[in-house]
Each structure stands twice: as C-alpha cells, then as structure tokens.
Amino acid sequence: MRVIMFGPPGAGKGTIAGALNERWHVPHIATGDMLREHVRQGTDLGLRAQAYMEAGELVPDELILEMVRARLAEPDAQHGFLLDGFPRTVAQAEALERMPAGGADVVIDLRVPESELLRRLSGRRVCPECGAIYQADTMPPRRPGVCDRCGGKLVQRSDDAPQAVRNRLEVYRAQTAPVLAYYGERGLLYSVDGTRGAVAVIAEVGAALTARGRA
Ligand code: ADP
Ligand code: ZN
C-alpha cells in the first residue's frame, strides 16, 4: 500500500508513520529525516538544502524530487511505502504520479489547530541518534534529556525555534495546503482528528489502512 501521511508541521506525521511501518512492512520514507542526514554528512544536497531548512522554507522541488525518485527506485519501496513530509507542493504530487513506483492509494490528513501546533513544536525534542521524538508535557522521556530507546542526548531541532516555526506554518498554508485539494479531487483523502493522544490516532489510522487494504 502506498500511503501519504499529510498534515502541517507538528501534526504528528513522523510519530504516527513510525508506529505504523513495522506492522505494514513498508518503508517509512521521511524527506525531512533524509535531508537532515544529508546535512549531517555534509553532502552536496545537504549543503544546498541547509539554509532553506533552517529558515523553515521549502527546499526547491528539483532537489527533493531527485532525492525521492532515487529512494523510490530502491527494492524495498516497490510494494508500497509510508511517505512523511512529501509531497509538499502540487508540483511534487504531480511528479510523484509519474515516478515508476509512485502514486498513492490513500492520503491521511492529520488535522490539528494552529494553537496546538505551536505548543507541540516548541516543546518537541528529538534524538539525533535514532530519530525518536518526545514532547516536554505529553510524551516526556523517562529521564530528562535522554532518549529512552538508545540513550542519546535529546536536542531541539533548529527549525523548531519560534521564528522558523511561524515561517513553516505560513509556508504550509501557502504552498502545502493546496495539495489537499489535489488528493481530495481524486477521492484519496482520509481525515483524522490529530489532537487526540498518539495511541488513539495510531489505532484509527491503522484501522483505516486495514479497511483500504481489504477493499
Ligand atoms: P515538519 O513536517 O515538522 O516541518 P520535516 O522534518 O518534514 O518537518 O521537514 C523539515 C524541513 O525539511 C522542511 O521545513 C523543509 O525545509 C524540508 N523539507 C522536507 N520535506 C520537503 C519537501 N517534500 N519539499 C520541500 N522541502 C522539504
Ligand atoms: Zn535515540
């Protein structure tokens, strides 16, 4: 099954996709994580993407599309995937349709109001070692500042700083929200109330995917 996890920054795409991919045996492909890895390793793509990411701007389509096209050509993506953070523009959605393993079977739209997004993004801490995500108030690690899973030291993403957060929400409204209409017209949208706890959201999305998989 080809699944797109959609929603504004802070809606929980990474948390939900990360919990679902094991059960569905499809790779979790998160373009933001891939880009951060390029930045960390200092690749050519990382050097070109870094300034956009830190400002909360979108990385130009041609760079993203080259990266996603290569990833979807790998063997593990031939029978489906969970895309997280892609597509983020209508041009990216159109390009996905044209990729050999591309297209989508269902688009999960995680709905969360802006006040809640601001709260979540400012309280978010991540593990740079294993990618685990924590929330200061609702999903804290067992030991403050330390990853439960691998013991890594938790950090705040540079684009979770207040000015970058405001910019990411603005970019979402202007450039990414139109992708919803694109998939709505194709009958692929499934909207989920993303304000509930992660366990409830994961259960609902899991049930929706099971129903689609049988259909
Ligand atoms: P979030 O969804 O919380 O904003 P991501 O980790 O998905 O964070 O993305 C972080 C940053 O990486 C984005 O703000 C953007 O600069 C860049 N990025 C990720 N995916 C894309 C994409 N599909 N198109 C353009 N830029 C992207
Ligand atoms: Zn970790």
Side-chain angles (χ1 to χ4, degrees), residues 126-134 146-154:
V126 297
C127 174
E129 302 303 325
C130 76
I133 306 168
Y134 299 89
V146 181
C147 180
D148 292 349
R149 210 196 285 168
C150 77
K153 187 173 175 302
L154 303 182

PDB file of all heavy atoms in Angstrom, residues 126-134 146-154, ligand 2:
ATOM      1  N   VAL A 126      14.079  15.916  20.006  1.00  0.00           N
ATOM      2  CA  VAL A 126      14.337  14.745  19.170  1.00  0.00           C
ATOM      3  C   VAL A 126      15.678  14.116  19.533  1.00  0.00           C
ATOM      4  O   VAL A 126      16.555  14.768  20.081  1.00  0.00           O
ATOM      5  CB  VAL A 126      14.338  15.112  17.668  1.00  0.00           C
ATOM      6  CG1 VAL A 126      12.976  15.620  17.242  1.00  0.00           C
ATOM      7  CG2 VAL A 126      15.413  16.155  17.363  1.00  0.00           C
ATOM      8  N   CYS A 127      15.805  12.823  19.218  1.00  0.00           N
ATOM      9  CA  CYS A 127      17.069  12.121  19.409  1.00  0.00           C
ATOM     10  C   CYS A 127      17.809  12.103  18.079  1.00  0.00           C
ATOM     11  O   CYS A 127      17.338  11.489  17.128  1.00  0.00           O
ATOM     12  CB  CYS A 127      16.825  10.690  19.890  1.00  0.00           C
ATOM     13  SG  CYS A 127      18.357   9.742  19.961  1.00  0.00           S
ATOM     14  N   PRO A 128      18.961  12.772  17.987  1.00  0.00           N
ATOM     15  CA  PRO A 128      19.686  12.796  16.714  1.00  0.00           C
ATOM     16  C   PRO A 128      20.267  11.431  16.351  1.00  0.00           C
ATOM     17  O   PRO A 128      20.566  11.185  15.189  1.00  0.00           O
ATOM     18  CB  PRO A 128      20.816  13.815  16.944  1.00  0.00           C
ATOM     19  CG  PRO A 128      20.739  14.251  18.352  1.00  0.00           C
ATOM     20  CD  PRO A 128      19.633  13.530  19.046  1.00  0.00           C
ATOM     21  N   GLU A 129      20.393  10.538  17.344  1.00  0.00           N
ATOM     22  CA  GLU A 129      20.986   9.224  17.064  1.00  0.00           C
ATOM     23  C   GLU A 129      19.998   8.296  16.377  1.00  0.00           C
ATOM     24  O   GLU A 129      20.313   7.663  15.379  1.00  0.00           O
ATOM     25  CB  GLU A 129      21.462   8.559  18.362  1.00  0.00           C
ATOM     26  CG  GLU A 129      22.473   9.365  19.159  1.00  0.00           C
ATOM     27  CD  GLU A 129      23.715   9.706  18.339  1.00  0.00           C
ATOM     28  OE1 GLU A 129      24.127   8.866  17.508  1.00  0.00           O
ATOM     29  OE2 GLU A 129      24.249  10.820  18.513  1.00  0.00           O
ATOM     30  N   CYS A 130      18.756   8.173  16.928  1.00  0.00           N
ATOM     31  CA  CYS A 130      17.833   7.162  16.402  1.00  0.00           C
ATOM     32  C   CYS A 130      16.549   7.769  15.842  1.00  0.00           C
ATOM     33  O   CYS A 130      15.703   7.047  15.321  1.00  0.00           O
ATOM     34  CB  CYS A 130      17.482   6.131  17.478  1.00  0.00           C
ATOM     35  SG  CYS A 130      16.315   6.733  18.705  1.00  0.00           S
ATOM     36  N   GLY A 131      16.367   9.091  15.952  1.00  0.00           N
ATOM     37  CA  GLY A 131      15.192   9.719  15.354  1.00  0.00           C
ATOM     38  C   GLY A 131      13.947   9.721  16.227  1.00  0.00           C
ATOM     39  O   GLY A 131      12.904  10.216  15.809  1.00  0.00           O
ATOM     40  N   ALA A 132      14.027   9.189  17.457  1.00  0.00           N
ATOM     41  CA  ALA A 132      12.855   9.174  18.347  1.00  0.00           C
ATOM     42  C   ALA A 132      12.410  10.610  18.646  1.00  0.00           C
ATOM     43  O   ALA A 132      13.220  11.539  18.663  1.00  0.00           O
ATOM     44  CB  ALA A 132      13.190   8.437  19.637  1.00  0.00           C
ATOM     45  N   ILE A 133      11.082  10.781  18.851  1.00  0.00           N
ATOM     46  CA  ILE A 133      10.516  12.110  19.072  1.00  0.00           C
ATOM     47  C   ILE A 133       9.840  12.154  20.441  1.00  0.00           C
ATOM     48  O   ILE A 133       9.101  11.226  20.802  1.00  0.00           O
ATOM     49  CB  ILE A 133       9.469  12.436  17.975  1.00  0.00           C
ATOM     50  CG1 ILE A 133      10.085  12.263  16.583  1.00  0.00           C
ATOM     51  CG2 ILE A 133       8.933  13.860  18.145  1.00  0.00           C
ATOM     52  CD1 ILE A 133       9.054  12.277  15.448  1.00  0.00           C
ATOM     53  N   TYR A 134      10.060  13.237  21.200  1.00  0.00           N
ATOM     54  CA  TYR A 134       9.458  13.392  22.528  1.00  0.00           C
ATOM     55  C   TYR A 134       8.756  14.737  22.629  1.00  0.00           C
ATOM     56  O   TYR A 134       9.016  15.652  21.858  1.00  0.00           O
ATOM     57  CB  TYR A 134      10.540  13.297  23.614  1.00  0.00           C
ATOM     58  CG  TYR A 134      11.252  11.968  23.601  1.00  0.00           C
ATOM     59  CD1 TYR A 134      12.379  11.787  22.805  1.00  0.00           C
ATOM     60  CD2 TYR A 134      10.768  10.891  24.330  1.00  0.00           C
ATOM     61  CE1 TYR A 134      13.015  10.551  22.748  1.00  0.00           C
ATOM     62  CE2 TYR A 134      11.392   9.661  24.284  1.00  0.00           C
ATOM     63  CZ  TYR A 134      12.519   9.494  23.484  1.00  0.00           C
ATOM     64  OH  TYR A 134      13.136   8.274  23.431  1.00  0.00           O
ATOM     65  N   VAL A 146      17.246  12.522  27.899  1.00  0.00           N
ATOM     66  CA  VAL A 146      17.913  11.298  27.440  1.00  0.00           C
ATOM     67  C   VAL A 146      16.922  10.396  26.700  1.00  0.00           C
ATOM     68  O   VAL A 146      15.805  10.176  27.155  1.00  0.00           O
ATOM     69  CB  VAL A 146      18.510  10.514  28.642  1.00  0.00           C
ATOM     70  CG1 VAL A 146      19.222   9.249  28.163  1.00  0.00           C
ATOM     71  CG2 VAL A 146      19.455  11.391  29.433  1.00  0.00           C
ATOM     72  N   CYS A 147      17.333   9.880  25.537  1.00  0.00           N
ATOM     73  CA  CYS A 147      16.460   9.031  24.727  1.00  0.00           C
ATOM     74  C   CYS A 147      16.192   7.686  25.404  1.00  0.00           C
ATOM     75  O   CYS A 147      17.128   6.982  25.779  1.00  0.00           O
ATOM     76  CB  CYS A 147      17.100   8.808  23.364  1.00  0.00           C
ATOM     77  SG  CYS A 147      16.116   7.764  22.276  1.00  0.00           S
ATOM     78  N   ASP A 148      14.890   7.318  25.535  1.00  0.00           N
ATOM     79  CA  ASP A 148      14.517   6.023  26.121  1.00  0.00           C
ATOM     80  C   ASP A 148      15.072   4.869  25.305  1.00  0.00           C
ATOM     81  O   ASP A 148      15.443   3.834  25.836  1.00  0.00           O
ATOM     82  CB  ASP A 148      12.978   5.852  26.118  1.00  0.00           C
ATOM     83  CG  ASP A 148      12.302   6.811  27.078  1.00  0.00           C
ATOM     84  OD1 ASP A 148      13.001   7.442  27.888  1.00  0.00           O
ATOM     85  OD2 ASP A 148      11.055   6.919  27.001  1.00  0.00           O
ATOM     86  N   ARG A 149      15.071   5.041  23.988  1.00  0.00           N
ATOM     87  CA  ARG A 149      15.357   3.922  23.102  1.00  0.00           C
ATOM     88  C   ARG A 149      16.856   3.627  23.014  1.00  0.00           C
ATOM     89  O   ARG A 149      17.262   2.479  23.004  1.00  0.00           O
ATOM     90  CB  ARG A 149      14.808   4.243  21.709  1.00  0.00           C
ATOM     91  CG  ARG A 149      14.389   3.002  20.941  1.00  0.00           C
ATOM     92  CD  ARG A 149      14.229   3.307  19.468  1.00  0.00           C
ATOM     93  NE  ARG A 149      13.020   4.056  19.163  1.00  0.00           N
ATOM     94  CZ  ARG A 149      12.808   4.626  17.978  1.00  0.00           C
ATOM     95  NH1 ARG A 149      13.690   4.513  17.013  1.00  0.00           N
ATOM     96  NH2 ARG A 149      11.709   5.302  17.754  1.00  0.00           N
ATOM     97  N   CYS A 150      17.677   4.710  22.932  1.00  0.00           N
ATOM     98  CA  CYS A 150      19.094   4.454  22.663  1.00  0.00           C
ATOM     99  C   CYS A 150      20.036   5.201  23.602  1.00  0.00           C
ATOM    100  O   CYS A 150      21.256   5.078  23.478  1.00  0.00           O
ATOM    101  CB  CYS A 150      19.428   4.801  21.208  1.00  0.00           C
ATOM    102  SG  CYS A 150      19.589   6.567  20.908  1.00  0.00           S
ATOM    103  N   GLY A 151      19.494   6.010  24.525  1.00  0.00           N
ATOM    104  CA  GLY A 151      20.385   6.720  25.448  1.00  0.00           C
ATOM    105  C   GLY A 151      20.998   7.990  24.877  1.00  0.00           C
ATOM    106  O   GLY A 151      21.793   8.646  25.550  1.00  0.00           O
ATOM    107  N   GLY A 152      20.634   8.328  23.633  1.00  0.00           N
ATOM    108  CA  GLY A 152      21.174   9.546  23.009  1.00  0.00           C
ATOM    109  C   GLY A 152      20.731  10.801  23.759  1.00  0.00           C
ATOM    110  O   GLY A 152      19.755  10.788  24.513  1.00  0.00           O
ATOM    111  N   LYS A 153      21.466  11.906  23.523  1.00  0.00           N
ATOM    112  CA  LYS A 153      21.156  13.172  24.184  1.00  0.00           C
ATOM    113  C   LYS A 153      20.141  13.931  23.322  1.00  0.00           C
ATOM    114  O   LYS A 153      20.402  14.194  22.150  1.00  0.00           O
ATOM    115  CB  LYS A 153      22.453  13.974  24.321  1.00  0.00           C
ATOM    116  CG  LYS A 153      22.334  15.246  25.137  1.00  0.00           C
ATOM    117  CD  LYS A 153      23.743  15.851  25.339  1.00  0.00           C
ATOM    118  CE  LYS A 153      23.702  17.195  26.033  1.00  0.00           C
ATOM    119  NZ  LYS A 153      22.901  18.205  25.331  1.00  0.00           N
ATOM    120  N   LEU A 154      18.974  14.276  23.918  1.00  0.00           N
ATOM    121  CA  LEU A 154      17.904  14.912  23.153  1.00  0.00           C
ATOM    122  C   LEU A 154      18.223  16.374  22.860  1.00  0.00           C
ATOM    123  O   LEU A 154      18.844  17.052  23.683  1.00  0.00           O
ATOM    124  CB  LEU A 154      16.580  14.810  23.919  1.00  0.00           C
ATOM    125  CG  LEU A 154      16.150  13.380  24.274  1.00  0.00           C
ATOM    126  CD1 LEU A 154      14.790  13.399  24.981  1.00  0.00           C
ATOM    127  CD2 LEU A 154      16.088  12.502  23.026  1.00  0.00           C
TER     128      LEU A 154
HETATM  129 ZN    ZN B   2      17.543   7.611  20.454  1.00  0.00          ZN
END
